Amino acid sequence: MMYLKQITILVALAILSLGAATQPATRPTTQRAGNPIAIVQRATLVDFEKEVLPILTSNCMACHNKTKAKAGLILETPADMLKGGDEGPAIIPKRGAESLLVMAAAHQGELTMPPKDNKVAAVDLTPQQLGLIKLWIDQGATGSVSSSVEVKWREVQESFAPIYAVAMTVDGRWAAFGRGRELLVYHVPTKQIVARLVDPSLSEMGKNLAHRDLIRSLAVSPDGNLLASGAYGEVKLWKRARSGQKIAIASAEPIRAIGASADGKFIALASEGIIQIFDPGSGQKIKDLAGHAGGVMAVRFSPESNRLVSAGVDKTIRVWDLASGKEIAHAGLPDVNAVAWVNAAQVASAAGRRVMIWKMPEAGKNELVVAKELPSQEANIKSLDAMAGLIVVGCEDGAVRVWNAESAAAVAQMKHDAPVAAVAIRADGKRVASAGENYARLWDEKGKMLAEMKGSAQLKEAAAKTERELAFAASEVAFHKGALAAADKEQKAQTDRLKKTTDTLEAANKTLAEKQKALAAAMEAKTKAEAEKQSADKIAVAAKAVTDADAAVKAAEKPARLAADEVELVKKTLQRAAAALTVAQGALAAGEAEQKKSEAAVPAAKKVVGDSAVAVRGVAFSPDGLVLASGGDDKLVQTWRAESGMAIEEYRASEPIGSLAFSGALVVANSEKSVMGWTPRAEWVLEKKLPLAGQPALNDCVNGLDFSADGSLLAAGGGVPTRGSDIRIWSVADGQLRHRFDDAHSDSVFSVKFSANGKKLASGAADRFARVFDLEKNVLVRSFEGHTHHVLGVAWKRDGRTLATAGADNVIKVWDANSGEKRKNIEGWGKEVTSISFIGETDQIIASCGDGRVRIVKADGADVRAWSVAADFVLSAAASVDGSVVVTGGQDGALRVWNGATGAAIAAYPEK
C-alpha cells in the first residue's frame, strides 16, 4: 500500500552510490571500457529540470534523495551533486568524462552503478542518456529546480475514492469527509448527507467535485462554521451559511393555529372566521376558505395534501377541497378543539373527553358520518394527532394515550406529568412527542420515555463547556500547586546547599589563612636564620619549614578554590530556583484566577439554561420522520433527532411561538400575527482559495490542516516528497499569509496542529521528525527525534505541556513538549498509526490504524477502548469534544459513525 496522503514522484529504482574524495585537477581512476556513451552535439544548453532530472528521477533518486541519501549523496539539484557524498562531488563542471556520475553510470571505473542484482531491479542508463548527462556537465552543469511545474492532470477513476480525512464539529453533530474528490457533510443526528460541497469552477468536469485532485486533509473551525479542505497545491475554505428564515407571512388577524401540507405546497393559517392558504415557496396567499362563524381553532391537511379539515368555535368541523376552495363536508360537535386525519377517508375530532372518528359522506351528501367513538378519557383533551392507524391524545391531567383507530383499543399510555398542550405521532407510529409546561418529551411506541427536551440545547452545550473549562482550570491549578511546591522545595534545598557551601568556603579560607600565616612565619624564620648566619643545619631546618608550609598552603588553596567555585555555582542555581519559584507563583496565581472565573461562569451558565426553560406549546414530526421540532414562549424553534431526542439546531423567531408544523422539509411556526419558516439544512459555499493570487504556490499535496483554537488562523502542511516541506499559516479573515516555514523538514509534512493557546505549531513529516515552532518569534524551537518511519500525526494535550506523535513505525510516542524528552511509547499497533488527537481537555488519545482498528488510550499508555472499524486500511478518525461520537474513514471509502463510549456502530455511508 502506498504511504498515506503522499503520491510519490519517485520510481523505486536505484543506481548510484557515488562519491569522490576531493575535487582533484584530474580524477585518478582505473579506466575500463564500460558502457558506450553517445556523442550528443547541439548548440543549445541542456535543460537540467526538463532533460536531466527526469533521467535521475526514474533511475537514481530512490536511493539518493534528501530522505534516503545512500553514501551521503543527493542527486536532486546541481548544488546537491556538487556538494557530493561520502567520497566527494559527483560532478566536475565542464569535465563530464572525469565526473564520477558519468563514470559510475557508464561502468568506467571501479565503482559501477547500478549494482548487479540490485533489489530494486535498476537498469543501466542508455548511451543516449549517458551522452546527454555528459554534455550537460561539459556545458557547466548549470540549472535549478523550480518550485512549481506544470501539472498534467489525468482523470481519477471513479472507483478510487478513499477517505483520507474526516473532521467533526465539537458537538458531534456534523462530520465532514473527503471521498475521492468529493467533499460531503454528514448530519450525525439524522444519519443523512446534508451537503455536497462543489467548486463551480470545476463544472466543466461534469461532476459535483470540490477539488480536481484527491482530498488529503480537512479541518473544521471551532465554531463549526468554516471547513478547510486540502488537495494538490491548494486549500479551499467553505463557509456554512446557517439556515436563515426562509418565509415570513404576516396576518391581519390573530393566528390561532397553523397547518402545513406534507408535500410542501401549502400552509394554512387559522384565524377569525377564515382559513388563509399560502404558498410557502413564495409566501404569497393562494386563497381564503370562508365558512366558519367565529374563530378557527385547528387545521390539518390530509395525507394526500388535497383536503383540509378544520375545527371552529362555532362548534363545527369542516372538510375543504383545496383545488376549489369549497367545503365538501361538515359536522356539528360541541366544544371541539382539535382535529386530525386518520386516513384519506376518515378524520378524528376531540371535544371535552370524547374522541370521535368520522368518515366522509356518500356522494351527494355533505354530513360527516360517525364511524366510531373512542372510550371516554379521564380528563379533558387538549391536543390530538393521528398517523399509521393510531390516534394519540394529550389531556389536562398530563396523560398521553395512544389508541388503535380501527379497534378503539388502548395501545400505550404515558405520563407527561403536566397538562399536555400538544402531541404529535410519527408517520410510522413508532415515536410520540408531547409538550406541556416547560418541556417536551419523546416516547417510543410502548410508552417508554426516550428523552426530555427542556430549555435551549445550545445554552446547555455552552454550560457544559463552562463545566469542562472549570475542570481543566482545576487540573491546571493542581498542576501549578505541585510545580510551586517543587520549586519551593528546590529553592529551600539550594538555600541550604548555599549555606553549607558557604560554611565550607569559610572553613577552607580559614585553613588557607592559617597555612598562609604559617608560611609567612616560616619564611621570616628562614630569613632571620640566614641574616644571622646561623649554622647550616639550622638554615636547612628553616628552609624545610618554608617548603612544608608552602606545600600546606598549596594543599589548602585547592579546597578553598573548589569551595569558592561551588558557592558561585550554587548561587546561580539558587537564582534559577528563585526565578522558577517566581514563575510557578505567577502561574498558580493566573491558574487560580482562571479557576475563580470558571467557578463563577458555571452557575451563571446554569442559570441561563434554567431561565431558558419556558412553556413549550407545540411539537411536530417531519414527514420523513427524521426530525422532531418543538417551540414555545422562548421564541425558539428547536429541532431534535426523532429517533433519540438528540439536539440538532435552533432557529430564533421574533415572538413567542404558538404552534408548529412541517411543510415538506420546511419547519413553520406561528406567533400571534405572523408565520416564520426555516429549512433545517445548512448550505455550504466556497468562500476563498488559498494561497491567494500573488502568494507563493503550494508545492504538491496539502496533507495536514488545522484551525487555531480561536479560529483566526489556518495552518497547512505538505511539500514535495523527498525534496522538502511546506508549512503555511494564513489569517482566516483575509487569507493573508502570516507565517511561512520553508524546508523546516527535509520531506513532506503529514500533520500540523496548533497548541491550545495558539502560540505554537507542531508538525510531523516523512523525515521521521516532529517539530515545534514558536509563532510569536517565528522560529523553530524544538525537534523530536525517535520515530523510525514517517510521523503521520501530531496532537497537543490541552495544557500545552504534552505532545503526542503517531508513526508509520507502528507506535505512538508521548513527549514532554517543553524539554523534548520522551515520556512513553504506546505500542500494540498492527500497522501504521494514521491519525491522532486528544479528546477534549482530557488525557485520552484517539488514534486510527492501518490494521483496521481505532483505539482510545491515555497519555500514560493505559488502554481505554479499542474496536475494529473496517477490514481495510483506516486512514483517519475524529471525535466530538466529549468523546461520545467518533467518525472514521479509510481506503474502502466508507464513512462510519461510532458510539465513542461503547464502540458500538451507529451508522455508515454508504450503507454496507
Side-chain angles (χ1 to χ4, degrees):
M1 175 173 293
M2 71 177 181
Y3 280 111
L4 323 170
K5 308 181 182 175
Q6 182 183 30
I7 298 179
T8 180
I9 63 169
L10 306 178
V11 179
L13 300 174
I15 183 168
L16 299 174
S17 292
L18 303 175
T22 56
Q23 182 173 324
T26 301
R27 182 184 297 276
T29 180
T30 301
Q31 198 77 17
R32 296 189 298 172
N35 297 333
I37 302 175
I39 298 175
V40 179
Q41 294 181 337
R42 55 190 252 189
T44 58
L45 290 175
V46 177
D47 188 306
F48 172 78
E49 184 173 18
K50 293 182 179 179
E51 298 178 89
V52 177
L53 184 61
I55 298 172
L56 300 177
T57 297
S58 298
N59 295 281
C60 316
M61 215 79 78
C63 291
H64 296 285
N65 56 71
K66 288 184 179 180
T67 301
K68 183 181 181 182
K70 282 192 174 182
L73 179 63
I74 300 172
L75 299 177
E76 295 186 356
T77 68
D80 292 327
M81 287 182 266
L82 284 168
K83 182 179 179 182
D86 295 345
E87 297 183 20
I91 57 174
I92 305 173
K94 298 189 177 182
R95 291 153 66 178
E98 300 171 28
S99 295
L100 189 58
L101 174 63
V102 174
M103 293 174 62
H107 298 189
Q108 291 181 349
E110 295 180 357
L111 181 64
T112 61
M113 289 289 145
K116 187 178 180 181
D117 300 326
N118 60 83
K119 295 181 179 179
V120 292
V123 298
D124 294 341
L125 298 187
T126 67
Q128 192 70 22
Q129 289 174 327
L130 289 168
L132 186 66
I133 293 174
K134 178 180 178 297
L135 177 60
W136 168 69
I137 298 173
D138 288 340
Q139 290 177 340
T142 60
S144 61
V145 180
S146 62
S147 59
S148 61
V149 295
E150 180 183 359
V151 178
K152 296 182 180 180
W153 293 100
R154 292 188 298 176
E155 186 64 22
V156 177
Q157 294 182 7
E158 293 300 317
S159 59
F160 184 60
I163 297 176
Y164 283 121
V166 295
M168 176 172 278
T169 55
V170 293
D171 56 15
R173 297 179 191 176
W174 310 88
F177 62 104
R179 193 168 185 262
R181 297 176 293 170
E182 288 187 304
L183 182 54
L184 301 101
V185 177
Y186 185 85
H187 192 223
V188 175
T190 58
K191 302 180 183 179
Q192 284 188 315
I193 297 295
V194 293
R196 293 178 183 271
L197 282 57
V198 178
D199 183 347
S201 68
L202 302 179
S203 60
E204 79 280 359
M205 302 179 72
K207 302 180 181 70
N208 295 324
L209 301 181
H211 289 270
R212 189 181 297 272
D213 189 33
L214 301 176
I215 296 170
R216 305 289 176 152
S217 52
L218 292 174
V220 63
S221 63
D223 63 6
N225 291 328
L226 282 175
L227 178 64
S229 58
Y232 185 93
E234 66 181 1
V235 174
K236 294 181 180 179
L237 270 175
W238 311 81
K239 187 172 183 178
R240 177 188 173 204
R242 288 185 176 270
S243 181
Q245 192 170 320
K246 297 300 182 183
I247 61 168
I249 299 172
S251 174
E253 298 291 334
I255 302 171
R256 299 175 180 266
I258 60 171
S261 62
D263 63 5
K265 294 181 179 180
F266 306 110
I267 293 176
L269 278 58
S271 54
E272 191 67 25
I274 62 170
I275 302 167
Q276 303 174 75
I277 306 297
F278 285 84
D279 176 358
S282 64
Q284 298 298 310
K285 183 188 286 189
I286 299 174
K287 64 184 63 175
D288 289 333
L289 306 180
H292 281 284
V296 182
M297 307 300 296
V299 286
R300 290 291 182 88
F301 284 90
S302 65
E304 295 81 5
S305 302
N306 62 342
R307 293 178 177 180
L308 183 81
V309 62
S310 59
V313 296
D314 59 0
K315 302 181 181 181
T316 65
I317 57 175
R318 300 174 186 266
V319 178
W320 309 82
D321 177 72
L322 290 176
S324 64
K326 294 181 178 180
E327 177 191 313
I328 57 175
H330 66 268
L333 187 67
D335 302 322
V336 62
N337 62 1
V339 288
W341 286 87
V342 177
N343 52 49
Q346 292 182 321
V347 296
S349 63
R353 300 185 179 188
R354 301 171 61 192
V355 175
M356 308 289 290
I357 300 176
W358 309 79
K359 62 182 180 180
M360 293 297 111
E362 297 177 1
K365 298 182 180 181
N366 61 2
E367 289 284 341
L368 291 169
V369 179
V370 175
K372 61 173 57 69
E373 181 176 349
L374 299 184
S376 178
Q377 308 299 303
E378 297 176 6
N380 286 337
I381 301 167
K382 302 294 291 181
S383 53
L384 174 74
D385 197 16
M387 281 285 182
L390 300 173
I391 296 175
V392 58
V393 297
C395 303
E396 283 183 336
D397 62 357
V400 178
R401 296 183 178 89
V402 182
W403 301 84
N404 183 296
E406 181 65 27
S407 64
V411 175
Q413 180 169 326
M414 307 83 157
K415 292 184 178 180
H416 187 82
D417 296 326
V420 181
V423 292
I425 185 168
R426 198 167 70 177
D428 61 1
K430 295 185 180 297
R431 291 291 182 270
V432 172
S434 57
E437 292 291 346
N438 61 355
Y439 55 88
R441 287 178 173 174
L442 179 66
W443 317 84
D444 69 9
E445 69 272 25
K446 296 181 180 179
K448 177 184 177 182
M449 189 173 77
L450 302 176
E452 182 175 272
M453 296 150 286
K454 183 178 181 179
S456 166
Q458 289 185 4
L459 292 177
K460 286 181 180 178
E461 172 56 31
K465 182 178 180 180
T466 63
E467 291 182 320
R468 293 194 298 269
E469 291 294 326
L470 175 57
F472 174 71
S475 69
E476 286 292 277
V477 167
F479 171 82
H480 291 308
K481 282 182 177 179
L484 178 60
D488 185 59
K489 182 178 179 181
E490 176 65 11
Q491 186 189 42
K492 289 178 179 178
Q494 294 304 322
T495 301
D496 292 342
R497 183 183 173 195
L498 180 61
K499 184 179 184 307
K500 290 178 181 179
T501 55
T502 302
D503 291 345
T504 301
L505 177 60
E506 289 177 354
N509 285 337
K510 181 178 180 182
T511 300
L512 177 60
E514 291 173 348
K515 301 301 181 183
Q516 289 172 335
K517 183 177 180 181
L519 175 61
M523 293 178 68
E524 184 180 352
K526 179 188 175 188
T527 301
K528 181 178 179 182
E530 290 174 341
E532 294 176 350
K533 297 182 179 181
Q534 298 178 5
S535 66
D537 289 343
K538 287 184 177 180
I539 292 175
V541 169
K544 185 177 184 304
V546 170
T547 301
D548 291 345
D550 184 62
V553 168
K554 290 179 178 178
E557 284 176 342
K558 183 176 180 180
R561 185 174 62 253
L562 292 176
D565 291 344
E566 180 73 4
V567 167
E568 291 303 313
L569 176 63
V570 174
K571 283 182 178 179
K572 291 179 180 178
T573 305
L574 181 59
Q575 288 176 348
R576 289 194 295 269
L581 180 62
T582 300
V583 170
Q585 289 170 333
L588 177 59
E592 288 176 335
E594 193 63 31
Q595 183 179 20
K596 186 175 181 181
K597 179 181 176 182
S598 296
E599 286 172 345
V602 169
K606 288 183 175 179
K607 183 179 184 303
V608 171
V609 171
D611 293 344
S612 74
V614 296
V616 181
R617 302 196 180 278
V619 286
F621 286 100
S622 61
D624 60 13
L626 297 175
V627 178
L628 172 67
S630 64
D633 290 353
D634 57 1
K635 304 179 185 179
L636 290 178
V637 171
Q638 298 194 75
T639 54
W640 317 83
R641 184 184 173 196
E643 195 67 22
S644 64
M646 177 183 178
I648 300 176
E649 193 59 272
E650 293 184 0
Y651 310 97
R652 181 165 293 280
S654 57
E655 299 291 338
I657 292 165
S659 58
L660 293 168
F662 271 91
S663 178
L666 189 75
V667 58
V668 293
N670 72 282
S671 61
E672 185 179 4
K673 286 194 175 183
S674 66
V675 172
M676 297 75 62
W678 301 265
T679 301
R681 182 181 291 263
E683 296 178 357
W684 293 83
V685 295
L686 179 59
E687 185 175 66
K688 60 173 67 82
K689 299 179 183 180
L690 299 172
L692 300 177
Q695 293 180 356
L698 286 166
N699 298 314
D700 215 88
C701 297
V702 178
N703 301 315
L705 289 168
D706 191 42
F707 282 97
S708 59
D710 62 3
S712 65
L713 298 174
L714 176 67
V720 180
T722 78
R723 290 175 58 186
S725 63
D726 275 343
I727 297 177
R728 309 283 176 83
I729 300 176
W730 296 280
S731 167
V732 172
D734 57 15
Q736 293 304 307
L737 189 62
R738 299 303 182 203
H739 304 273
R740 179 181 179 185
F741 301 100
D742 289 339
D743 294 325
H745 292 269
S746 62
D747 208 334
S748 300
V749 172
F750 285 123
S751 179
V752 288
K753 191 71 176 179
F754 285 100
S755 61
N757 60 12
K759 296 180 179 180
K760 294 180 180 179
L761 183 80
S763 60
D767 62 1
R768 305 183 294 277
F769 281 90
R771 292 195 161 97
V772 170
F773 304 87
D774 185 320
L775 300 182
E776 292 181 319
K777 299 178 180 178
N778 210 43
V779 295
L780 170 68
V781 292
R782 195 166 303 282
S783 294
F784 300 81
E785 183 178 9
H787 282 284
T788 59
H789 216 310
H790 300 355
V791 179
L792 300 176
V794 291
W796 288 94
K797 190 179 175 185
R798 168 70 188 275
D799 59 19
R801 296 184 291 273
T802 301
L803 185 72
T805 56
D809 52 3
N810 306 3
V811 68
I812 286 176
K813 293 182 182 291
V814 182
W815 311 82
D816 184 314
N818 294 321
S819 69
E821 295 180 358
K822 186 187 72 178
R823 291 178 179 170
K824 185 72 178 178
N825 275 353
I826 304 177
E827 300 177 338
W829 307 88
K831 290 184 179 179
E832 296 95 325
V833 185
T834 53
S835 70
I836 186 173
S837 59
F838 278 92
I839 298 177
E841 290 80 14
T842 72
D843 66 344
Q844 293 187 7
I845 298 168
I846 183 168
S848 60
C849 184
D851 62 7
R853 291 186 303 155
V854 163
R855 284 173 66 189
I856 299 177
V857 297
K858 291 187 176 180
D860 62 6
D863 281 313
V864 177
R865 190 167 298 102
W867 67 96
S868 295
V869 303
D872 209 335
F873 216 86
V874 181
L875 296 167
S876 185
S880 58
V881 70
D882 61 1
S884 62
V885 182
V886 171
V887 292
T888 62
Q891 199 69 28
D892 64 358
L895 177 79
R896 293 181 173 87
V897 186
W898 308 87
N899 182 316
T902 65
I906 295 176
Y909 176 84
E911 295 183 2
K912 298 295 183 180

